[in-house]
Coordinates of all heavy atoms in Angstrom, one line a residue:
L14 N 41.7 227.1 183.4 CA 42.5 228.3 183.8 C 42.3 229.4 183.0 O 42.7 229.3 181.8 CB 44.0 227.9 183.9 CG 45.0 229.0 184.3 CD1 44.8 229.3 185.8 CD2 46.4 228.6 184.1
V15 N 41.5 230.3 183.4 CA 41.3 231.6 182.6 C 42.6 232.5 182.6 O 43.0 232.7 183.6 CB 40.1 232.4 183.2 CG1 39.9 233.7 182.4 CG2 38.9 231.5 183.2
I16 N 43.0 232.8 181.4 CA 44.2 233.6 181.3 C 44.0 235.0 180.6 O 44.8 235.8 180.6 CB 45.4 232.9 180.5 CG1 45.0 232.7 179.0 CG2 45.7 231.6 181.2 CD1 46.1 232.3 178.1
G17 N 42.8 235.2 180.1 CA 42.4 236.5 179.4 C 41.1 236.5 178.9 O 40.1 235.7 179.4
G18 N 40.9 237.1 177.7 CA 39.6 237.2 177.2 C 39.5 238.3 176.2 O 40.5 238.8 175.6
D19 N 38.2 238.5 175.9 CA 37.9 239.6 174.9 C 37.6 241.0 175.5 O 37.2 241.9 174.7 CB 36.8 239.2 173.9 CG 35.4 239.2 174.7 OD1 35.4 239.3 175.8 OD2 34.4 239.1 173.8
G20 N 37.9 241.1 176.8 CA 37.6 242.3 177.5 C 36.2 242.6 177.9 O 35.9 243.6 178.4
S21 N 35.4 241.5 177.6 CA 34.0 241.6 177.9 C 33.5 240.3 178.6 O 34.1 240.0 179.7 CB 33.2 241.9 176.6 OG 31.8 242.1 176.9
R22 N 32.7 239.5 178.0 CA 32.1 238.4 178.6 C 32.8 237.1 178.3 O 32.7 236.1 178.8 CB 30.6 238.2 178.2 CG 29.8 239.4 178.5 CD 28.3 239.1 177.9 NE 27.9 237.8 178.2 CZ 27.1 237.5 179.3 NH1 26.9 238.4 180.1 NH2 26.6 236.2 179.5
E23 N 33.7 237.1 177.3 CA 34.3 235.9 176.8 C 35.7 235.7 177.5 O 36.5 236.6 177.5 CB 34.6 235.9 175.3 CG 33.2 236.1 174.6 CD 32.2 234.9 174.7 OE1 32.6 233.8 175.0 OE2 31.1 235.3 174.6
M24 N 35.9 234.6 178.1 CA 37.2 234.2 178.8 C 38.0 233.3 178.0 O 37.6 232.2 177.7 CB 36.8 233.5 180.2 CG 35.8 234.4 181.0 SD 36.8 235.8 181.8 CE 35.8 237.1 181.0
L25 N 39.3 233.7 177.9 CA 40.3 232.8 177.2 C 40.7 231.9 178.2 O 41.3 232.3 179.2 CB 41.3 233.6 176.5 CG 42.5 232.8 175.9 CD1 41.9 232.1 174.7 CD2 43.6 233.8 175.4
T26 N 40.6 230.5 178.0 CA 40.7 229.5 179.0 C 41.5 228.4 178.5 O 41.2 227.8 177.5 CB 39.4 229.1 179.5 OG1 38.6 230.1 179.8 CG2 39.5 228.1 180.6
Y27 N 42.7 227.9 179.3 CA 43.3 226.6 179.1 C 42.4 225.5 179.6 O 41.9 225.7 180.7 CB 44.5 226.5 179.8 CG 45.7 227.1 179.1 CD1 46.4 228.3 179.6 CD2 46.2 226.5 178.0 CE1 47.5 228.7 178.9 CE2 47.4 227.1 177.3 CZ 47.9 228.2 177.7 OH 49.0 228.8 177.0
D28 N 42.2 224.5 178.8 CA 41.5 223.3 179.3 C 42.5 222.2 179.6 O 43.0 221.5 178.7 CB 40.5 222.8 178.0 CG 39.8 221.5 178.4 OD1 39.9 221.0 179.6 OD2 39.0 221.2 177.7
F29 N 42.8 222.2 181.0 CA 43.9 221.3 181.4 C 43.4 219.8 181.6 O 44.0 218.9 182.1 CB 44.5 221.8 182.8 CG 45.6 222.7 182.5 CD1 45.3 224.1 182.6 CD2 46.9 222.3 182.1 CE1 46.4 225.0 182.4 CE2 47.8 223.3 182.0 CZ 47.6 224.6 182.1
R30 N 42.1 219.6 181.2 CA 41.6 218.2 181.1 C 42.3 217.5 179.9 O 42.3 216.3 180.0 CB 40.1 218.1 181.0 CG 39.3 218.8 182.0 CD 37.8 218.8 181.7 NE 37.6 219.5 180.3 CZ 36.6 219.3 179.5 NH1 35.7 218.5 179.9 NH2 36.6 219.8 178.3
R31 N 43.0 218.2 179.1 CA 43.6 217.6 177.9 C 45.1 217.9 177.9 O 45.5 218.9 178.4 CB 42.9 218.2 176.6 CG 41.5 217.8 176.5 CD 40.8 218.3 175.2 NE 39.5 217.8 174.9 CZ 38.6 217.9 175.7 NH1 38.5 218.5 176.8 NH2 37.3 217.4 175.4
T32 N 45.9 217.0 177.2 CA 47.3 217.1 177.1 C 47.6 217.2 175.7 O 47.3 216.2 175.0 CB 48.0 216.1 177.9 OG1 47.5 216.1 179.2 CG2 49.4 216.3 177.9
P33 N 48.3 218.2 175.1 CA 48.5 219.5 175.8 C 47.2 220.3 176.0 O 46.3 220.1 175.2 CB 49.5 220.2 174.9 CG 49.2 219.6 173.5 CD 48.9 218.2 173.7
P34 N 47.2 221.2 176.9 CA 45.9 221.9 177.2 C 45.6 223.0 176.0 O 46.4 223.8 175.8 CB 46.1 222.7 178.5 CG 47.6 222.8 178.5 CD 48.1 221.6 177.8
P35 N 44.5 222.8 175.2 CA 44.2 223.7 174.3 C 43.6 225.0 174.9 O 43.2 225.1 176.1 CB 43.1 223.1 173.4 CG 42.3 222.1 174.5 CD 43.5 221.7 175.4
L36 N 43.5 226.1 174.2 CA 42.8 227.3 174.6 C 41.4 227.4 173.9 O 41.3 227.2 172.7 CB 43.7 228.6 174.1 CG 44.9 228.9 174.9 CD1 45.9 229.7 174.1 CD2 44.5 229.4 176.3
V37 N 40.5 227.7 174.8 CA 39.2 227.8 174.4 C 38.5 229.1 174.9 O 39.2 229.7 175.7 CB 38.3 226.6 174.9 CG1 38.7 225.2 174.4 CG2 38.2 226.6 176.4
L38 N 37.5 229.5 174.2 CA 36.6 230.6 174.8 C 35.4 230.2 175.4 O 34.7 229.4 174.9 CB 36.4 231.5 173.5 CG 36.2 233.0 173.7 CD1 37.4 233.6 174.2 CD2 35.9 233.7 172.3
L39 N 35.2 230.7 176.7 CA 34.0 230.5 177.4 C 33.3 231.7 177.8 O 33.9 232.7 178.3 CB 34.4 229.7 178.7 CG 34.7 228.2 178.6 CD1 35.4 227.8 179.9 CD2 33.5 227.4 178.3
D40 N 32.0 231.8 177.6 CA 31.3 233.0 178.0 C 31.1 232.9 179.6 O 31.0 231.8 180.1 CB 29.9 233.0 177.4 CG 29.0 234.1 177.8 OD1 28.4 234.2 178.9 OD2 29.1 235.2 177.0
V41 N 31.0 234.0 180.3 CA 31.0 234.0 181.7 C 29.7 233.3 182.2 O 29.6 233.0 183.4 CB 31.0 235.5 182.3 CG1 32.5 236.0 182.0 CG2 30.0 236.4 181.9
S42 N 28.7 233.2 181.4 CA 27.4 232.6 181.7 C 27.4 231.2 181.3 O 26.3 230.5 181.5 CB 26.3 233.3 181.2 OG 26.2 233.2 179.8
A43 N 28.4 230.6 180.7 CA 28.4 229.1 180.4 C 28.1 228.2 181.6 O 28.6 228.5 182.6 CB 29.7 228.8 179.7
Q44 N 27.4 227.3 181.3 CA 27.0 226.3 182.3 C 27.9 225.0 182.4 O 28.1 224.4 183.4 CB 25.6 225.7 182.1 CG 24.5 226.9 182.1 CD 24.6 227.5 183.6 OE1 24.4 226.9 184.4 NE2 24.7 228.8 183.5
D45 N 28.6 224.7 181.2 CA 29.4 223.6 181.2 C 30.5 223.7 180.0 O 30.3 224.6 179.2 CB 28.7 222.3 181.3 CG 27.8 222.1 180.0 OD1 28.1 222.5 178.9 OD2 26.6 221.6 180.2

């Protein structure tokens, strides 16, 4: 669940595969 980012290519994302869901950074071109 993308909730924000750095205003450019990086997306601040909740990883709901885990409990509690951590926040991670994903580049828009990330493959996995």
Side-chain angles (χ1 to χ4, degrees):
L14 178 68
V15 175
I16 66 164
D19 71 348
S21 183
R22 298 177 51 90
E23 304 295 330
M24 303 289 114
L25 180 62
T26 307
Y27 272 112
D28 180 356
F29 277 99
R30 299 173 307 155
R31 294 178 171 65
T32 305
L36 284 163
V37 299
L38 208 56
L39 284 168
D40 185 275
V41 295
S42 65
Q44 298 299 307
D45 58 40

